Amino acid sequence: MIRNICLAVAVLFASTHAYALESLITVESHYSAKETADRFETIIKDKGFTVFSRIDHQKNAAAVNLALRPTEVIIFGNPNIGTQLMQCNQLVAIDLPQKVLISEDADNKVWLSYNNPKYIKLRHRIAGCDKVINKISAALNTLSIAATSK
């Protein structure tokens, strides 16, 4: 009986921790949405990342006569790093390549958001790859700060 109670408490603690982890990391930008997206794209290209696509949702909305505040997604990656993560759990490929969202809110504030690699680790139950996860987390943090800060 005590063993079952301990197990239940452990499961509750673990599930609470998983839900407490933010799935997105969001950084406020000091630049316009377009300038933030341009800066991010330039920085990642300079660092050797591949830009697979840049999607301008505002432009696409306008094409069907709908209004949308500035909203862009940049899809990018580095096969050397991404492959290492997929070797840990191939299902993580559904979340790769990495994406950033640059958006402007109703108060005209611009935000850069990306999937938290630690959340991806939990989502896919990745074990034994903390070095890769930490490397990705540090890189995304550095890139997002560089693109959004003056």
Side-chain angles (χ1 to χ4, degrees), residues 22-116:
E22 292 293 324
S23 62
L24 288 176
I25 295 176
T26 301
V27 178
E28 186 174 1
S29 180
H30 295 282
Y31 302 97
S32 70
K34 180 171 179 0
E35 189 171 359
T36 301
D38 290 345
R39 288 172 57 85
F40 188 85
E41 183 175 7
T42 298
I43 291 166
I44 60 176
K45 284 180 176 178
D46 288 348
K47 298 286 185 186
F49 287 83
T50 300
V51 175
F52 296 105
S53 185
R54 183 167 167 178
I55 303 162
D56 185 339
H57 289 293
Q58 182 183 42
K59 180 180 172 184
N60 293 337
V64 292
N65 297 317
L66 294 173
L68 183 67
R69 289 187 301 272
T71 307
E72 288 196 50
V73 173
I74 299 173
I75 302 170
F76 68 100
N78 179 326
N80 183 41
I81 299 169
T83 301
Q84 291 177 46
L85 196 54
M86 287 183 272
Q87 288 172 334
C88 297
N89 182 341
Q90 200 167 2
L91 291 176
V92 79
I94 194 70
D95 289 313
L96 298 175
Q98 187 62 249
K99 296 172 276 306
V100 294
L101 165 66
I102 297 95
S103 58
E104 183 181 297
D105 68 15
D107 296 322
N108 298 319
K109 291 183 179 180
V110 174
W111 304 94
L112 184 147
S113 303
Y114 59 89
N115 287 318
N116 184 344

Side-chain angles (χ1 to χ4, degrees), residues 6-27:
C6 289
L7 180 62
V9 169
V11 168
L12 178 63
F13 177 78
S15 64
T16 301
H17 174 70
Y19 287 113
L21 185 64
E22 292 293 324
S23 62
L24 288 176
I25 295 176
T26 301
V27 178

